[in-house]
Amino acid sequence: MRFFDIHPVNLVKALSMALELSINGMSRHHWQTAMICKKIADQISMNATEQRTLVFAALLHDIGAASSWDERQKIQQTDTFEKRSLGAHAEAGYLLLKDSPQLGYLAQSIRYHHDYWCGGNKSGLKGSQIPLVSRIIHLADRVQILIHHNQSIFAQREKILESIDRSSGIVFDPLLVKAAHEIMQAESFWLDLVNASYYENFFKTLDVYGSVRYSSDDAIQIANIFAKIIDKISKFTAHHSRSVTKTAVFLAKLEGFSEDDVKSMEIAGLLHDLGKLAVPNAILEKPGKLTAEEVVIVRQHTYYTYRILEQIDHFEVIAQWAAYHHETLDGQGYPFRIGGKDLSLGSRILAVADIFVALTETRPYRESLPKQKVQDIMTNMVKQNKIDGNVLKTLFDHYDDAVLLVDTRLAVKENERFA
Ligand SMILES: [Fe+2]
Ligand SMILES: [Fe+2]
Ligand SMILES: [Fe+2]
């Protein structure tokens, strides 16, 4: 069994990046919220174990909204500050994480991160019944969304302080508001928040949380959570990551990969489209042809898959297998334009699996393509020096078994999608 010695902070930081992707790069909602949480925790002398839970939960707190751009926008708007309608994604985040052996300990804190101090919450909790970690995330989260990034931070300081004061004892725990008030007097509090280059130092300070040993099975379980999130982005490809994974694992075994490498392929398959979180649902679900501008936006997904996965300790090979699935042997693929000589067998397998699944999945505008058609299209791609002919031969030699691995059910129903 392969083990990865992972600094959990690197893992959670990388996963939180996936929640921050947008058309124009990354926002820093989770990172800033985590930094505010850490400063409040220091101020109230929270112990190290609780701090660790707090910071990691803060880094993933809106995971329940990640699949939906509308939801992500809604929860980050300043005018929702005093509305009580934000709980759905907190519950969704809880449901995503609660059964995870690795991240399940964060689920409760995420579940209550929009609960009001004064009560009236769906959870039935109020005041100090609400977990302290959730209360801190709630306050830090709302401070973060009040920051306008195109204005001087000091011109906003008073307004932000007034807002949280007004909500003290109603929305927020008054003792936490008091603690926040004290730390917010320091100029450095605000400067750290808006100083993009400070984040690396901030994450380094979290190295004290040490490293953990994750087996490949642990990593597969975490990857499965993210595959669920990715597949929810578009109702038209609701099973795509999991079908690609099954096909890629099937091919890796046939190509003689070791048991450990087959598991790495499983992780790579589950996460290959992680960067799709940078593509708005509306583009992924557009019924007609995409404009040139939209194509560029869609194509950035594998770039982000790579940049996220490369940050996780010992994930170098997995990052390449996962993120090179739109690279081609002739060097005309994207986003790195890597030619055949640098495309390993693992990357070639995942590329073939991805295309095969895309062609055999049912789409709203067409049925699953028949065998002959799939073979014609993919054989043509070999002729054009796009994909690997040997891998394709392996697939075609086992076509009837492979096609059973693809979930051809069309889409989930809209009402089930974000349930
Ligand atoms: Fe939230
Ligand atoms: Fe948030
Ligand atoms: Fe892709």
Side-chain angles (χ1 to χ4, degrees):
M1 170 77 75
R2 180 171 289 160
F3 285 91
F4 304 95
D5 285 311
I6 289 180
H7 284 83
V9 62
N10 288 348
L11 175 76
V12 180
K13 175 190 169 202
L15 298 177
S16 77
M17 267 180 79
L19 312 179
E20 300 284 359
L21 294 173
S22 65
I23 296 179
N24 294 317
M26 273 180 59
S27 57
R28 285 203 185 80
H29 174 66
H30 289 82
W31 290 11
Q32 289 193 328
T33 302
M35 191 188 283
I36 299 168
C37 283
K38 173 79 168 78
K39 287 176 187 275
I40 295 174
D42 286 339
Q43 180 71 11
I44 63 170
S45 308
M46 196 180 217
N47 72 46
T49 317
E50 274 189 304
Q51 282 208 16
R52 179 176 183 269
T53 305
L54 170 67
V55 173
F56 290 179
L59 284 170
L60 296 175
H61 72 275
D62 284 334
I63 191 170
S67 307
S68 162
W69 277 59
D70 284 351
E71 186 78 7
R72 276 159 68 179
Q73 269 166 4
K74 193 174 93 189
I75 61 179
Q76 292 190 15
Q77 274 161 11
T78 327
D79 64 0
T80 57
F81 187 72
E82 275 150 4
K83 286 187 191 146
R84 274 185 179 269
S85 56
L86 297 177
H89 72 280
E91 186 67 16
Y94 161 75
L95 292 174
L96 273 168
L97 296 182
K98 77 177 175 47
D99 296 323
S100 162
Q102 302 78 21
L103 301 172
Y105 72 104
L106 305 173
Q108 287 289 347
S109 312
I110 288 175
R111 187 179 206 178
Y112 305 117
H113 84 266
H114 284 287
D115 273 15
Y116 275 36
W117 172 257
C118 66
N121 302 302
K122 267 203 182 137
S123 65
L125 304 180
K126 66 187 259 191
S128 55
Q129 293 168 331
I130 303 164
L132 177 61
V133 166
S134 312
R135 281 180 264 151
I136 299 175
I137 295 174
H138 192 186
L139 176 59
D141 169 84
R142 298 293 93 184
V143 168
Q144 197 286 331
I145 59 148
L146 288 172
I147 298 172
H148 293 285
H149 295 276
N150 48 1
Q151 287 171 20
S152 152
I153 192 74
F154 293 111
Q156 307 175 57
R157 173 161 68 167
E158 282 315 308
K159 228 175 125 193
I160 294 172
L161 283 169
E162 278 166 26
S163 286
I164 63 167
D165 282 349
R166 249 199 332 270
S167 301
S168 179
I170 305 163
V171 183
F172 307 124
D173 176 347
L175 284 179
L176 293 179
V177 171
K178 191 167 166 281
H181 229 284
E182 282 158 12
I183 51 178
M184 287 175 183
Q185 297 309 314
E187 284 75 7
S188 63
F189 173 90
W190 303 99
L191 291 168
D192 281 347
L193 275 183
V194 294
N195 176 4
S197 61
Y198 176 65
Y199 281 85
E200 281 312 310
N201 297 16
F202 169 64
F203 283 111
K204 268 198 204 104
T205 67
L206 307 180
D207 271 349
V208 290
Y209 301 145
S211 69
V212 284
R213 293 208 100 191
Y214 278 145
S215 66
S216 0
D217 289 340
D218 288 318
I220 288 169
Q221 284 170 339
I222 294 172
N224 257 305
I225 297 173
F226 278 79
K228 267 192 213 163
I229 296 171
I230 300 158
D231 285 352
K232 267 191 183 182
I233 311 172
S234 168
K235 61 179 186 248
F236 300 150
T237 52
H239 318 283
H240 178 80
S241 299
R242 284 159 285 180
S243 294
V244 169
T245 304
K246 284 185 200 156
T247 310
V249 162
F250 177 72
L251 289 172
K253 284 182 185 164
L254 290 170
E255 293 288 349
F257 276 38
S258 68
E259 205 180 311
D260 281 341
D261 284 346
V262 168
K263 288 191 174 183
S264 289
M265 181 59 82
E266 188 168 354
I267 300 167
L270 289 166
L271 298 175
H272 79 285
D273 273 342
L274 184 59
K276 280 236 173 109
L277 293 168
V279 186
N281 307 90
I283 296 183
L284 292 173
E285 304 198 318
K286 187 173 169 183
K289 208 169 174 288
L290 297 183
T291 64
E293 204 183 321
E294 288 165 341
V295 168
V296 172
I297 293 170
V298 171
R299 285 184 162 201
Q300 62 181 8
H301 76 277
T302 41
Y303 168 82
Y304 287 115
T305 296
Y306 190 82
R307 291 292 176 233
I308 292 168
L309 296 183
E310 71 170 349
Q311 297 190 48
I312 303 172
D313 308 295
H314 315 294
F315 264 44
E316 297 82 3
V317 171
I318 291 173
Q320 291 178 6
W321 291 356
Y324 292 171
H325 67 271
H326 294 296
E327 299 291 346
T328 54
L329 298 178
D330 65 359
Q332 297 299 305
Y334 60 86
F336 298 109
R337 298 192 175 242
I338 293 169
K341 74 175 179 16
D342 293 317
L343 281 176
S344 67
L345 181 57
S347 303
R348 294 169 188 228
I349 287 176
L350 202 39
V352 167
D354 185 55
I355 297 163
F356 171 72
V357 170
L359 296 174
T360 50
E361 273 173 337
T362 314
R363 292 288 156 87
Y365 47 87
R366 64 149 172 79
E367 284 298 303
S368 162
L369 294 183
K371 185 172 176 179
Q372 191 56 53
K373 186 94 185 148
V374 174
Q375 290 190 335
D376 289 349
I377 293 172
M378 294 186 82
T379 306
N380 219 3
M381 294 179 84
V382 172
K383 284 187 195 140
Q384 292 171 348
N385 199 24
K386 298 293 181 194
I387 57 174
D388 188 295
N390 293 326
V391 176
L392 192 65
K393 182 172 179 318
T394 306
L395 174 68
F396 286 170
D397 286 347
H398 301 81
Y399 194 96
D400 296 341
D401 291 328
V403 89
L404 295 176
L405 302 171
V406 180
D407 191 331
T408 53
R409 284 172 299 163
L410 175 63
V412 279
K413 293 192 194 94
E414 191 66 34
N415 59 350
E416 288 169 3
R417 189 162 153 220
F418 294 118

